[in-house]
Amino acid sequence: MIGGGACFGRRGVSYLEVLACVTIIGVISLVIVPRLGRGKEKAMSAACQLNVEMIEVQATLFHRRTGRWPNRRLTDLEANADYFPDGIPVCPVDQSAYTFDTGAGRVNGHQH
């Protein structure tokens, strides 16, 4: 016998079989897609934390060179291309600018 069906000698796939495959693929998608979305959120949060750490390191270098912390809006670092040649990074999670606590020598907020 040539073809697919062993019992009826038919060829091809029925609509019911196609519907079953599409349903299975849909269920698998419902499980996988939300997990991929959370991975993106985690990656963006990790990138934000990395930006915070880079700014704090550059602020510490600025403090060692000048004897003072950069201003709250970090324009002191932005004005000198030695610190951030491509500009001060922004938060990848909410696109907000980072601000600096001159008393503590730390970036404000951004605990995602």
XYZ file of all heavy atoms in Angstrom:
853
model
N 0.836 -1.157 0.000
C 0.000 0.000 0.000
C 0.894 1.238 0.000
O 1.844 1.335 0.754
C -0.883 -0.029 1.242
C -1.752 1.175 1.333
S -2.925 1.060 2.683
C -4.037 -0.128 2.016
N 0.567 2.193 -0.818
C 1.339 3.425 -0.939
C 0.597 4.535 -0.209
O -0.613 4.657 -0.298
C 1.500 3.810 -2.432
C 2.188 2.682 -3.187
C 2.249 5.108 -2.556
C 2.248 2.911 -4.658
N 1.361 5.375 0.519
C 0.723 6.526 1.143
C 0.593 6.379 2.638
O 1.137 5.491 3.260
N -0.269 7.261 3.200
C -0.334 7.387 4.640
C -1.213 6.391 5.342
O -0.779 5.651 6.197
N -2.491 6.290 5.037
C -3.416 5.525 5.849
C -3.277 4.025 5.666
O -3.403 3.507 4.574
N -3.056 3.333 6.748
C -2.907 1.884 6.684
C -4.262 1.204 6.579
O -4.393 0.195 5.914
C -2.164 1.386 7.912
N -5.287 1.759 7.208
C -6.588 1.104 7.245
C -7.412 1.397 6.005
O -8.068 0.520 5.467
C -7.367 1.548 8.471
S -6.600 1.020 10.010
N -7.402 2.646 5.552
C -8.332 3.034 4.497
C -7.663 3.315 3.169
O -8.327 3.643 2.210
C -9.122 4.266 4.938
C -9.894 4.023 6.208
C -9.506 4.599 7.391
C -10.998 3.194 6.200
C -10.201 4.375 8.557
C -11.708 2.969 7.363
C -11.321 3.555 8.545
N -6.357 3.216 3.100
C -5.649 3.442 1.852
C -5.740 4.886 1.381
O -5.675 5.143 0.192
N -5.873 5.837 2.286
C -6.007 7.252 1.915
C -4.644 7.936 1.891
O -3.698 7.473 2.496
C -6.935 7.973 2.873
C -6.421 8.012 4.293
C -7.450 8.613 5.250
N -7.004 8.426 6.617
C -6.333 9.330 7.316
N -6.053 10.488 6.782
N -5.955 9.072 8.548
N -4.573 9.042 1.218
C -3.360 9.860 1.158
C -3.662 11.224 1.745
O -4.768 11.715 1.633
C -2.901 10.041 -0.277
C -2.440 8.775 -0.898
C -2.064 9.069 -2.300
N -0.813 8.398 -2.613
C -0.240 8.444 -3.778
N -0.776 9.135 -4.752
N 0.868 7.806 -3.988
N -2.659 11.857 2.336
C -2.847 13.207 2.854
C -3.202 13.223 4.330
O -3.167 12.219 5.029
N -3.587 14.409 4.768
C -3.860 14.649 6.178
C -5.265 15.230 6.292
O -5.657 16.104 5.519
C -2.828 15.653 6.751
C -3.087 15.949 8.209
C -1.417 15.130 6.563
N -6.002 14.786 7.280
C -7.360 15.299 7.460
C -7.339 16.635 8.190
O -6.352 16.998 8.837
C -8.204 14.296 8.242
O -7.805 14.293 9.591
N -8.449 17.356 8.117
C -8.558 18.627 8.818
C -8.462 18.436 10.331
O -7.917 19.270 11.036
C -9.884 19.315 8.475
C -9.921 19.833 7.063
C -10.873 19.384 6.172
C -8.998 20.783 6.632
C -10.910 19.851 4.870
C -9.020 21.257 5.336
C -9.988 20.795 4.459
O -10.010 21.262 3.189
N -8.953 17.355 10.819
C -8.886 17.065 12.247
C -7.443 16.896 12.715
O -7.058 17.384 13.781
C -9.704 15.811 12.573
C -9.895 15.491 14.043
C -10.559 16.654 14.764
C -10.702 14.235 14.198
N -6.624 16.230 11.913
C -5.206 16.066 12.253
C -4.476 17.407 12.228
O -3.645 17.701 13.100
C -4.550 15.078 11.296
C -5.043 13.657 11.471
C -4.614 12.727 10.354
O -4.474 13.181 9.200
O -4.408 11.537 10.651
N -4.791 18.236 11.241
C -4.179 19.567 11.162
C -4.604 20.396 12.370
O -3.783 21.073 12.999
C -4.569 20.277 9.846
C -4.132 21.741 9.868
C -3.964 19.564 8.662
N -5.879 20.341 12.722
C -6.383 21.076 13.877
C -5.693 20.614 15.160
O -5.331 21.431 16.011
C -7.898 20.893 14.002
C -8.575 21.636 15.145
C -8.387 23.135 14.986
C -10.038 21.278 15.194
N -5.478 19.327 15.316
C -4.782 18.807 16.492
C -3.351 19.332 16.556
O -2.876 19.741 17.623
C -4.791 17.281 16.482
N -2.653 19.356 15.433
C -1.273 19.870 15.410
C -1.225 21.351 15.746
O -0.380 21.789 16.530
C -0.649 19.629 14.042
S -0.288 17.903 13.722
N -2.141 22.126 15.181
C -2.177 23.563 15.459
C -2.487 23.806 16.934
O -1.890 24.684 17.570
C -3.210 24.262 14.541
C -3.474 25.697 14.988
C -2.735 24.237 13.105
N -3.381 23.027 17.509
C -3.711 23.164 18.926
C -2.504 22.851 19.801
O -2.207 23.575 20.762
C -4.883 22.233 19.291
O -5.994 22.555 18.462
C -5.269 22.389 20.750
N -1.782 21.804 19.483
C -0.587 21.445 20.254
C 0.464 22.543 20.156
O 1.062 22.939 21.166
C -0.023 20.090 19.778
C -0.983 18.966 20.198
C 1.360 19.845 20.349
C -0.676 17.625 19.566
N 0.674 23.077 18.974
C 1.641 24.171 18.791
C 1.198 25.399 19.581
O 2.011 26.090 20.201
C 1.827 24.491 17.300
C 2.543 23.331 16.616
C 2.587 25.794 17.097
C 2.582 23.417 15.110
N -0.094 25.685 19.592
C -0.621 26.822 20.362
C -0.383 26.668 21.847
O 0.007 27.620 22.533
N -0.620 25.476 22.372
C -0.402 25.231 23.802
C 1.080 25.380 24.148
O 1.437 25.985 25.162
C -0.933 23.838 24.201
C -0.487 23.459 25.597
C -2.447 23.792 24.093
N 1.937 24.848 23.321
C 3.384 24.985 23.552
C 3.783 26.460 23.529
O 4.569 26.921 24.351
C 4.178 24.152 22.530
C 3.964 22.658 22.805
C 5.651 24.502 22.569
C 4.528 21.752 21.736
N 3.219 27.226 22.608
C 3.512 28.662 22.516
C 3.092 29.389 23.779
O 3.785 30.296 24.244
C 2.799 29.310 21.337
O 3.017 28.620 20.173
N 1.937 29.022 24.312
C 1.458 29.675 25.535
C 2.395 29.443 26.710
O 2.479 30.262 27.625
C 0.054 29.177 25.886
C -1.071 29.694 24.997
C -2.369 28.983 25.336
C -1.230 31.190 25.152
N 3.110 28.352 26.698
C 4.044 28.057 27.777
C 5.378 28.756 27.548
O 5.976 29.302 28.470
C 4.251 26.528 27.904
C 5.360 26.208 28.868
C 2.951 25.853 28.323
N 5.851 28.783 26.317
C 7.193 29.286 26.018
C 7.256 30.810 25.923
O 8.185 31.417 26.449
C 7.722 28.643 24.722
C 7.956 27.159 24.965
C 8.986 29.317 24.247
C 8.348 26.401 23.726
N 6.308 31.451 25.274
C 6.381 32.893 25.022
C 6.496 33.715 26.302
O 7.335 34.616 26.370
C 5.192 33.344 24.141
C 5.084 34.850 24.076
C 5.342 32.761 22.741
N 5.712 33.463 27.345
C 5.899 34.263 28.567
C 7.290 34.111 29.185
O 7.828 35.053 29.749
C 4.830 33.721 29.525
C 3.797 33.133 28.642
C 4.543 32.604 27.456
N 7.871 32.937 29.062
C 9.223 32.747 29.603
C 10.242 33.577 28.832
O 11.196 34.079 29.405
C 9.610 31.274 29.565
C 8.822 30.469 30.548
C 9.249 29.042 30.564
N 8.400 28.287 31.489
C 8.667 27.109 31.927
N 9.769 26.501 31.547
N 7.855 26.498 32.753
N 10.060 33.698 27.533
C 10.968 34.520 26.741
C 10.844 35.981 27.134
O 11.824 36.706 27.173
C 10.674 34.342 25.249
C 10.945 32.953 24.670
C 10.506 32.897 23.222
C 12.400 32.602 24.799
N 9.633 36.428 27.412
C 9.413 37.803 27.837
C 10.099 38.114 29.148
O 10.659 39.183 29.332
N 10.055 37.184 30.098
C 10.727 37.394 31.382
C 12.238 37.438 31.198
O 12.931 38.141 31.924
C 10.344 36.312 32.372
C 8.970 36.531 32.973
C 8.708 35.487 33.993
N 8.559 34.222 33.279
C 7.709 33.262 33.582
N 6.950 33.391 34.620
N 7.618 32.176 32.871
N 12.749 36.700 30.245
C 14.188 36.738 29.982
C 14.622 38.113 29.516
O 15.683 38.604 29.910
N 13.782 38.748 28.716
C 14.097 40.093 28.251
C 14.094 41.077 29.420
O 14.978 41.923 29.526
C 13.088 40.531 27.197
C 13.330 41.910 26.654
C 12.293 42.288 25.628
C 12.508 43.711 25.144
N 11.464 44.134 24.221
N 13.109 40.955 30.304
C 13.051 41.835 31.466
C 14.275 41.653 32.362
O 14.843 42.624 32.850
C 11.779 41.567 32.270
C 10.512 41.990 31.576
C 9.267 41.517 32.289
O 9.383 40.959 33.405
O 8.178 41.694 31.727
N 14.687 40.411 32.565
C 15.867 40.151 33.386
C 17.115 40.736 32.744
O 17.979 41.287 33.426
C 16.045 38.649 33.602
C 15.061 38.057 34.578
C 15.324 36.576 34.767
C 14.344 35.942 35.711
N 14.586 34.492 35.876
N 17.226 40.606 31.435
C 18.392 41.137 30.728
C 18.439 42.659 30.819
O 19.512 43.244 31.042
C 18.374 40.694 29.274
N 17.290 43.304 30.681
C 17.255 44.765 30.767
C 17.574 45.234 32.192
O 18.262 46.235 32.382
C 15.898 45.282 30.298
C 15.692 45.104 28.804
S 14.075 45.594 28.239
C 14.173 47.354 28.404
N 17.101 44.501 33.176
C 17.410 44.830 34.569
C 18.902 44.666 34.844
O 19.520 45.496 35.523
C 16.592 43.942 35.499
O 16.886 44.220 36.831
N 19.491 43.610 34.308
C 20.935 43.395 34.476
C 21.731 44.490 33.774
O 22.749 44.958 34.287
C 21.327 42.025 33.945
N 21.254 44.932 32.609
C 21.930 46.014 31.889
C 21.850 47.315 32.681
O 22.816 48.079 32.732
C 21.316 46.190 30.505
N 20.710 47.560 33.323
C 20.566 48.750 34.172
C 21.568 48.699 35.328
O 22.226 49.691 35.626
C 19.140 48.866 34.689
S 18.893 50.286 35.782
N 21.664 47.557 35.955
C 22.606 47.413 37.073
C 24.049 47.627 36.611
O 24.848 48.254 37.307
C 22.450 46.047 37.735
C 23.314 45.851 38.950
C 23.040 46.868 40.051
O 21.909 47.272 40.282
N 24.085 47.280 40.742
N 24.377 47.128 35.437
C 25.715 47.336 34.881
C 25.970 48.821 34.624
O 27.050 49.327 34.919
C 25.886 46.523 33.603
C 27.235 46.630 32.917
C 28.344 46.109 33.826
C 27.230 45.865 31.614
N 24.960 49.525 34.087
C 25.099 50.967 33.866
C 25.353 51.694 35.183
O 26.212 52.570 35.261
C 23.841 51.539 33.206
C 23.732 51.178 31.752
O 24.686 50.728 31.128
N 22.555 51.367 31.195
N 24.612 51.326 36.226
C 24.786 51.945 37.546
C 26.221 51.737 38.030
O 26.881 52.682 38.494
C 23.771 51.365 38.563
C 24.143 51.740 39.988
C 22.361 51.831 38.239
N 26.711 50.532 37.899
C 28.076 50.232 38.354
C 29.116 51.001 37.545
O 30.090 51.505 38.106
C 28.318 48.735 38.303
C 27.504 47.973 39.335
C 27.549 46.467 39.161
O 28.350 45.982 38.332
O 26.800 45.775 39.860
N 28.918 51.105 36.219
C 29.866 51.864 35.390
C 29.882 53.334 35.782
O 30.946 53.953 35.872
C 29.505 51.743 33.904
C 29.881 50.443 33.274
S 29.749 50.441 31.471
C 28.211 51.244 31.148
N 28.699 53.905 36.011
C 28.626 55.318 36.402
C 29.312 55.523 37.745
O 30.057 56.497 37.927
C 27.159 55.792 36.435
C 26.597 55.836 35.012
C 27.041 57.163 37.093
C 25.092 56.049 34.940
N 29.093 54.619 38.679
C 29.729 54.768 39.995
C 31.247 54.653 39.915
O 31.966 55.384 40.602
C 29.140 53.759 40.984
C 27.710 54.112 41.369
C 27.036 53.110 42.279
O 27.618 52.039 42.552
O 25.916 53.402 42.731
N 31.750 53.779 39.058
C 33.205 53.665 38.877
C 33.756 54.949 38.271
O 34.768 55.490 38.747
C 33.556 52.440 37.997
C 34.987 52.508 37.517
C 33.308 51.154 38.758
N 33.098 55.467 37.243
C 33.573 56.695 36.607
C 33.463 57.888 37.562
O 34.327 58.764 37.570
C 32.803 56.967 35.312
C 33.038 55.944 34.223
C 34.507 55.839 33.827
O 35.270 56.799 33.863
N 34.912 54.646 33.437
N 32.418 57.901 38.386
C 32.275 58.978 39.378
C 33.399 58.909 40.411
O 33.917 59.945 40.844
C 30.912 58.891 40.060
N 33.783 57.701 40.794
C 34.894 57.537 41.732
C 36.200 58.027 41.116
O 36.997 58.707 41.776
C 35.016 56.062 42.173
O 33.787 55.663 42.775
C 36.155 55.868 43.155
N 36.415 57.712 39.853
C 37.611 58.223 39.164
C 37.587 59.749 39.105
O 38.612 60.408 39.316
C 37.702 57.637 37.758
C 38.024 56.150 37.672
C 37.932 55.667 36.218
C 39.403 55.865 38.228
N 36.426 60.324 38.809
C 36.273 61.773 38.776
C 36.604 62.371 40.147
O 37.306 63.376 40.246
C 34.837 62.132 38.365
C 34.574 63.600 38.259
C 34.836 64.281 37.080
C 34.057 64.315 39.332
C 34.588 65.640 36.979
C 33.809 65.660 39.245
C 34.080 66.334 38.063
N 36.105 61.727 41.195
C 36.356 62.187 42.561
C 37.840 62.142 42.898
O 38.382 63.055 43.536
C 35.545 61.341 43.548
C 35.652 61.786 44.960
N 36.566 61.249 45.843
C 34.967 62.732 45.654
C 36.426 61.842 47.012
N 35.463 62.741 46.935
N 38.518 61.093 42.477
C 39.963 60.983 42.753
C 40.764 62.041 41.999
O 41.769 62.547 42.502
C 40.467 59.594 42.379
C 40.023 58.542 43.355
C 40.592 57.202 43.021
N 40.117 56.201 43.968
C 40.329 54.919 43.851
N 41.033 54.451 42.822
N 39.859 54.072 44.737
N 40.325 62.377 40.793
C 41.060 63.368 39.990
C 40.787 64.798 40.437
O 41.677 65.645 40.377
C 40.688 63.225 38.517
C 41.240 61.994 37.879
C 40.857 61.909 36.420
N 41.351 60.666 35.842
C 40.976 60.205 34.668
N 40.103 60.858 33.937
N 41.472 59.072 34.220
N 39.539 65.083 40.820
C 39.154 66.477 41.092
C 38.962 66.786 42.570
O 38.896 67.959 42.944
C 37.838 66.814 40.370
O 36.784 66.014 40.914
C 37.953 66.599 38.877
N 38.815 65.757 43.399
C 38.576 65.987 44.820
C 37.120 66.257 45.158
O 36.794 66.595 46.292
N 36.234 66.137 44.191
C 34.794 66.331 44.441
C 33.996 65.340 43.593
O 34.507 64.804 42.614
C 34.365 67.760 44.120
C 34.506 68.115 42.649
C 34.068 69.553 42.361
N 34.238 69.857 40.957
C 33.330 69.582 40.013
N 32.193 69.005 40.323
N 33.565 69.887 38.757
N 32.761 65.102 44.024
C 31.897 64.206 43.259
C 31.290 64.956 42.075
O 31.151 66.182 42.132
C 30.763 63.674 44.136
C 31.219 62.719 45.190
C 31.292 62.955 46.523
C 31.682 61.386 44.999
N 31.768 61.846 47.182
C 32.011 60.860 46.262
C 31.853 60.561 43.890
C 32.500 59.569 46.450
C 32.322 59.272 44.070
C 32.643 58.790 45.326
N 30.939 64.265 41.014
C 30.237 64.942 39.916
C 28.870 65.435 40.393
O 28.334 64.951 41.389
C 30.090 63.857 38.841
C 30.262 62.568 39.550
C 31.113 62.837 40.749
N 28.325 66.408 39.673
C 27.031 66.957 40.103
C 25.906 65.931 39.955
O 26.082 64.868 39.378
C 26.706 68.249 39.351
C 26.582 68.034 37.856
O 26.378 66.926 37.390
N 26.714 69.104 37.106
N 24.762 66.272 40.512
C 23.622 65.356 40.598
C 23.191 64.821 39.230
O 22.850 63.659 39.092
C 22.464 66.080 41.281
C 21.242 65.226 41.479
C 20.142 66.034 42.196
N 19.009 65.200 42.470
C 18.076 64.887 41.581
N 18.155 65.355 40.358
N 17.055 64.116 41.921
N 23.204 65.678 38.221
C 22.742 65.266 36.883
C 23.852 64.667 36.027
O 23.644 64.359 34.866
C 22.097 66.456 36.180
C 20.832 66.923 36.907
C 20.198 68.068 36.187
N 20.003 67.724 34.800
C 18.823 67.614 34.203
N 17.744 67.832 34.897
N 18.733 67.319 32.932
N 25.031 64.516 36.593
C 26.191 63.891 35.952
C 26.695 64.649 34.722
O 27.395 64.091 33.884
C 25.876 62.430 35.575
C 25.526 61.527 36.750
C 24.936 60.218 36.252
C 26.755 61.274 37.597
N 26.385 65.933 34.630
C 26.859 66.706 33.477
C 28.371 66.904 33.521
O 28.993 67.116 32.480
C 26.148 68.074 33.400
O 26.302 68.760 34.644
C 24.678 67.899 33.082
N 28.974 66.826 34.717
C 30.436 66.912 34.814
C 31.095 65.742 34.082
O 32.109 65.914 33.403
C 30.890 66.893 36.279
C 30.444 68.121 37.042
O 30.208 69.160 36.404
O 30.342 68.032 38.279
N 30.521 64.563 34.232
C 31.064 63.395 33.530
C 30.765 63.460 32.037
O 31.578 63.067 31.213
C 30.481 62.103 34.111
C 30.847 61.759 35.548
C 30.181 60.460 35.951
C 32.340 61.665 35.731
N 29.592 63.951 31.718
C 29.185 64.019 30.312
C 30.027 65.021 29.536
O 30.321 64.823 28.354
C 27.706 64.406 30.239
C 27.098 64.268 28.872
C 25.610 64.468 28.911
O 25.104 65.253 29.733
O 24.941 63.834 28.082
N 30.459 66.079 30.198
C 31.241 67.125 29.542
C 32.655 66.667 29.191
O 33.289 67.222 28.302
C 31.301 68.370 30.435
N 33.156 65.649 29.871
C 34.510 65.160 29.644
C 34.439 63.797 28.954
O 34.014 62.803 29.544
C 35.252 65.052 30.979
C 36.707 64.739 30.806
O 37.128 64.205 29.795
N 37.490 65.068 31.825
N 34.889 63.749 27.714
C 34.810 62.515 26.926
C 35.699 61.400 27.467
O 35.578 60.261 27.025
C 35.162 62.801 25.464
N 36.572 61.700 28.412
C 37.402 60.650 29.016
C 36.550 59.656 29.820
O 36.936 58.507 29.986
C 38.465 61.249 29.940
C 39.541 61.990 29.177
O 39.683 61.745 27.963
O 40.235 62.820 29.802
N 35.426 60.110 30.338
C 34.598 59.262 31.191
C 33.581 58.446 30.379
O 33.495 57.243 30.530
C 33.893 60.098 32.256
C 34.881 60.751 33.190
C 35.188 62.095 33.075
C 35.529 60.017 34.166
C 36.108 62.692 33.920
C 36.452 60.596 35.012
C 36.741 61.933 34.881
O 37.663 62.514 35.714
N 32.794 59.113 29.555
C 31.794 58.429 28.729
C 31.858 59.019 27.317
O 31.111 59.942 26.991
C 30.389 58.588 29.311
C 30.167 57.811 30.568
C 30.215 58.436 31.809
C 29.910 56.454 30.522
C 30.013 57.720 32.969
C 29.713 55.722 31.684
C 29.767 56.359 32.907
N 32.724 58.481 26.460
C 32.871 59.032 25.107
C 31.576 59.000 24.289
O 31.359 59.859 23.438
C 33.930 58.146 24.454
C 34.518 57.324 25.527
C 33.628 57.384 26.707
N 30.716 58.029 24.561
C 29.460 57.916 23.804
C 28.289 58.545 24.544
O 27.140 58.366 24.141
C 29.144 56.441 23.519
C 30.207 55.789 22.653
O 30.790 56.484 21.804
O 30.460 54.586 22.842
N 28.552 59.246 25.615
C 27.491 59.869 26.409
C 27.106 59.003 27.596
O 27.356 57.804 27.620
N 26.459 59.647 28.559
C 25.994 58.940 29.758
C 24.886 57.976 29.342
O 23.949 58.368 28.653
C 25.448 59.933 30.806
C 26.498 60.961 31.185
C 24.912 59.197 32.022
C 27.556 60.481 32.119
N 24.967 56.719 29.757
C 23.894 55.783 29.395
C 22.593 56.130 30.110
O 22.597 56.791 31.151
C 24.429 54.421 29.862
C 25.444 54.730 30.896
C 26.011 56.073 30.565
N 21.476 55.694 29.522
C 20.171 55.831 30.159
C 19.684 54.443 30.561
O 20.170 53.432 30.049
C 19.139 56.516 29.235
C 19.540 57.944 28.943
C 18.942 55.739 27.960
N 18.724 54.415 31.455
C 18.194 53.146 31.939
C 17.493 52.401 30.796
O 16.589 52.956 30.167
C 17.215 53.394 33.085
S 16.450 51.896 33.698
N 17.890 51.162 30.502
C 17.248 50.421 29.424
C 15.830 49.961 29.762
O 15.050 49.643 28.877
C 18.167 49.222 29.203
C 18.924 49.069 30.464
C 19.008 50.428 31.079
N 15.481 49.963 31.051
C 14.148 49.510 31.458
C 13.105 50.585 31.183
O 12.073 50.329 30.572
C 14.134 49.107 32.945
C 12.735 48.749 33.406
C 15.084 47.946 33.183
N 13.363 51.829 31.642
C 12.358 52.886 31.493
C 12.872 54.132 30.760
O 12.195 55.147 30.722
C 11.790 53.271 32.858
C 12.855 53.744 33.829
O 13.999 53.994 33.418
O 12.537 53.854 35.031
N 14.064 54.056 30.207
C 14.684 55.137 29.427
C 14.885 56.424 30.236
O 14.999 57.504 29.667
C 13.855 55.448 28.167
C 13.687 54.271 27.228
C 15.025 53.709 26.761
O 15.881 54.458 26.310
N 15.201 52.415 26.862
N 14.938 56.331 31.545
C 15.150 57.513 32.376
C 16.641 57.769 32.556
O 17.463 56.868 32.441
C 14.476 57.336 33.736
O 15.068 56.263 34.441
N 16.960 59.019 32.855
C 18.351 59.392 33.100
C 18.735 59.006 34.525
O 17.902 59.007 35.433
C 18.525 60.889 32.908
N 19.987 58.667 34.715
C 20.503 58.357 36.039
C 20.838 59.664 36.758
O 21.280 60.623 36.135
C 21.752 57.487 35.945
C 21.495 56.117 35.367
C 21.792 55.830 34.045
C 20.949 55.105 36.144
C 21.564 54.567 33.515
C 20.711 53.851 35.626
C 21.018 53.587 34.311
O 20.781 52.340 33.790
N 20.638 59.678 38.066
C 21.049 60.816 38.884
C 21.998 60.293 39.962
O 22.002 59.109 40.278
C 19.843 61.524 39.535
O 19.118 60.585 40.317
C 18.939 62.149 38.480
N 22.765 61.223 40.522
C 23.839 60.839 41.426
C 23.638 61.485 42.787
O 23.309 62.665 42.901
C 25.181 61.280 40.820
C 26.368 60.677 41.468
C 26.703 59.345 41.253
C 27.177 61.434 42.297
C 27.824 58.783 41.860
C 28.301 60.879 42.897
C 28.603 59.555 42.681
N 23.841 60.713 43.843
C 23.791 61.206 45.219
C 25.208 61.621 45.600
O 26.068 60.769 45.848
C 23.270 60.116 46.149
C 23.162 60.557 47.597
O 23.623 61.670 47.931
O 22.626 59.777 48.392
N 25.450 62.936 45.634
C 26.804 63.425 45.896
C 27.236 63.188 47.339
O 28.428 63.166 47.627
C 26.906 64.927 45.571
O 25.933 65.640 46.334
C 26.670 65.174 44.099
N 26.295 62.992 48.251
C 26.647 62.717 49.643
C 27.152 61.296 49.836
O 28.120 61.051 50.541
N 26.506 60.353 49.172
C 26.866 58.947 49.339
C 27.814 58.448 48.253
O 28.428 57.394 48.398
C 25.606 58.078 49.334
N 27.933 59.192 47.168
C 28.780 58.743 46.063
C 28.176 57.562 45.322
O 28.898 56.692 44.848
N 26.856 57.547 45.213
C 26.145 56.435 44.575
C 25.077 56.961 43.617
O 24.565 58.066 43.786
C 25.442 55.557 45.620
C 26.360 54.915 46.608
C 26.927 53.656 46.029
N 27.839 53.031 46.981
C 28.958 52.471 46.608
N 29.319 52.441 45.367
N 29.732 51.901 47.497
N 24.712 56.124 42.647
C 23.606 56.431 41.747
C 22.299 56.261 42.512
O 22.136 55.306 43.267
C 23.644 55.526 40.496
C 22.406 55.690 39.650
C 24.884 55.812 39.673
N 21.370 57.198 42.321
C 20.069 57.149 42.990
C 19.151 56.112 42.334
O 19.095 56.028 41.110
C 19.367 58.502 42.937
C 20.064 59.546 43.763
O 20.532 59.262 44.845
N 20.143 60.746 43.240
N 18.413 55.383 43.156
C 17.359 54.503 42.677
C 17.827 53.407 41.739
O 18.895 52.851 41.890
N 16.984 53.102 40.778
C 17.229 52.092 39.750
C 17.447 50.713 40.337
O 18.386 50.003 39.984
C 18.379 52.500 38.837
C 18.000 53.625 37.947
N 17.320 53.441 36.768
C 18.147 54.952 38.080
C 17.091 54.610 36.215
N 17.581 55.558 36.998
N 16.553 50.319 41.194
C 16.540 48.954 41.718
C 15.427 48.199 41.005
O 14.320 48.101 41.485
C 16.303 48.953 43.237
C 17.338 49.721 44.015
C 18.730 49.138 43.879
O 18.908 47.934 43.813
N 19.728 50.009 43.810
N 15.708 47.706 39.829
C 14.680 46.995 39.046
C 14.659 45.537 39.417
O 15.586 44.904 39.643
C 14.948 47.121 37.561
C 14.964 48.547 37.088
N 13.811 49.283 36.952
C 15.969 49.369 36.751
C 14.120 50.481 36.520
N 15.422 50.571 36.398
